[in-house]
Amino acid sequence: MQLLSLVVVCAYSLIALGVGVKLVLMSRQTRRGPELLVGLAFLAGGMVGYPFNIAATVLWGSNADLALAAYAVGQTGMAGSAVLALASWQVMFAPSSRRARVFLCVWGVAMAALLVVGIRTTQPDPSRFASSWYALLLFWQLTCYAVLAVAALHHAFMLHRREALGLSDPVVTNRMLFWGITEISVSLQYLITLCSIAMAKLGMAGFFSPLIIASLGVIAAAATYVAFATRTAGVSWTRTELGARAEG
Amino acid sequence: MADSPAFELACERIEADTNLERIETRGTVRLALKAAGFNASSISPDQLAVVVEKLLPGELTRRGVPNPGSVCARVKDALSSMGAIAQEEAPEALFVRMGGG
């Protein structure tokens, strides 16, 4: 199971690297904020967050100082990815909303504070799951991905309606839909982990399953790939194959 | 969030051309926008013109407005005279750019 989880994380990191670099390079040409923020969010999470956290766990038994340093970098990468992702939500979905800007600022400051406390009070071993600070840190990141998931899926639904009037391209609708699926997969990973922590604290049998977490990771990786790295964003499959199944 | 100038103009025209009250007019247009996948705050004149042409006649008919086709034609004319309006980038713009659009 550990091997499967490692393979999933490696796959996600590679896809995040490819998509992140693609979007950052694109932002240099377009001079637009959304591609830069989404690209950096993928790079921070996929290339800093996940790899350094895994490195910290592996190093913990042999070199504690190095492990703690890697843990700090990894957690900063995960938190940074969440901040960049939420900033992309504000820029894309609520660019002129003062309330959204205030929410982003307050959320970002709280994220930074939780990150500092979380790094100082926890270690890269299973004991961190018993820490309330670590749970709060995870919960805070969950809110970011949940906001993005709701926004992306709601907008994909609206774009789908526009298609009937010829006012939206199905490829664009699908890209938004698969981005939403990525965010909801990540949200569910956080939610399952948090529920397990809460159940463990209450003395109940947890339902944390590495297989479920890994499966959600596979879905997130695949959806990211389809949304950002394919030409048709799966339109031919979702519209013809699923349509035929629905009719048949 | 404030409603778009296109939405405001369309509502003013419908209110002037029909016996619908202001709140009824705005609700009717909002229902058409919802069915089309838009919201009143961000729709452009071009997009609203399509919604007015394809969905609004049905909504006006349901409210007993006589000659909904001609009402919608006048609203469309008014929208076409608005010209281009500087608007915020739509959320899907990134994904449009990714396709080279």
Side-chain angles (χ1 to χ4, degrees):
Chain A
M1 190 49 65
Q2 281 185 326
L3 183 65
L4 176 65
S5 300
L6 192 63
V7 169
V8 170
V9 169
C10 287
Y12 182 79
S13 292
L14 282 174
I15 291 171
L17 172 65
V19 170
V21 168
K22 176 182 174 176
L23 290 174
V24 169
L25 289 176
M26 191 174 140
S27 74
R28 291 183 65 188
Q29 292 179 329
T30 61
R31 307 257 171 215
R32 299 281 187 168
E35 37 267 63
L36 180 63
L37 290 168
V38 176
L40 290 176
F42 276 120
L43 291 175
M47 297 312 297
V48 181
Y50 284 117
F52 276 85
N53 273 322
I54 289 172
T57 307
V58 172
L59 287 168
W60 183 241
S62 55
N63 189 332
D65 288 341
L66 202 56
L68 285 171
Y71 181 62
V73 174
Q75 291 297 326
T76 305
M78 298 301 282
S81 179
V83 171
L84 289 160
L86 196 67
S88 73
W89 161 79
Q90 192 269 320
V91 167
M92 290 170 81
F93 292 97
S96 61
S97 167
R98 193 166 161 268
R99 275 192 294 183
R101 279 198 295 272
V102 170
F103 171 67
L104 174 63
C105 290
V106 171
W107 188 93
V109 170
M111 179 84 256
L114 283 171
L115 174 67
V116 171
V117 177
I119 289 173
R120 282 171 178 248
T121 57
T122 61
Q123 297 169 338
D125 64 9
S127 72
R128 71 180 183 274
F129 291 109
S131 162
S132 298
W133 285 113
Y134 189 75
L136 202 52
L137 184 65
L138 293 183
F139 173 76
W140 213 244
Q141 291 176 26
L142 164 65
T143 59
C144 154
Y145 296 113
V147 165
L148 265 173
V150 170
L153 291 175
H154 176 251
H155 204 75
F157 179 68
M158 286 174 63
L159 290 175
H160 183 62
R161 285 187 165 184
R162 292 178 200 178
E163 285 174 27
L165 301 178
L167 291 173
S168 179
D169 180 352
V171 173
V172 174
T173 307
N174 263 29
R175 288 193 199 286
M176 186 67 81
L177 172 68
F178 279 104
W179 191 41
I181 290 172
T182 298
E183 301 305 338
I184 207 154
S185 301
V186 175
S187 300
L188 286 173
Q189 285 180 317
Y190 277 97
L191 189 63
I192 289 170
T193 307
L194 278 167
C195 285
S196 297
I197 291 172
M199 289 171 82
K201 276 186 181 291
L202 293 170
M204 299 159 71
F207 58 91
F208 184 85
S209 163
L211 182 62
I212 295 174
I213 298 293
S215 301
L216 288 167
V218 170
I219 292 170
T224 302
Y225 178 79
V226 175
F228 293 97
T230 61
R231 185 178 290 274
T232 62
V235 164
S236 56
W237 187 81
T238 52
R239 301 300 153 100
T240 55
E241 198 73 19
L242 293 181
R245 281 185 206 174
E247 285 170 15
Chain B
M1 207 177 280
D3 294 326
S4 72
F7 174 81
E8 295 290 352
L9 178 69
C11 291
E12 280 170 23
R13 290 296 316 172
I14 295 166
E15 209 180 325
D17 288 357
T18 67
N19 56 358
L20 294 177
E21 298 289 332
R22 176 182 160 82
I23 194 163
E24 250 184 315
T25 305
R26 297 174 80 84
T28 302
V29 179
R30 280 185 205 282
L31 282 175
L33 290 181
K34 189 180 175 190
F38 289 99
N39 57 57
S41 61
S42 60
I43 192 161
S44 71
D46 289 345
Q47 290 167 332
L48 186 52
V50 176
V51 177
V52 166
E53 183 188 345
K54 296 190 175 174
L55 296 180
L56 196 59
E59 292 293 337
L60 292 178
T61 303
R62 270 193 280 282
R63 278 150 196 82
V65 173
N67 300 319
S70 58
V71 172
C72 290
R74 284 195 289 278
V75 174
K76 247 187 98 176
D77 286 346
L79 288 169
S80 63
S81 66
M82 282 188 84
I85 293 175
Q87 282 196 299
E88 286 166 352
E89 192 172 70
E92 66 273 16
L94 163 62
F95 298 105
V96 173
R97 286 197 288 276
M98 287 188 68

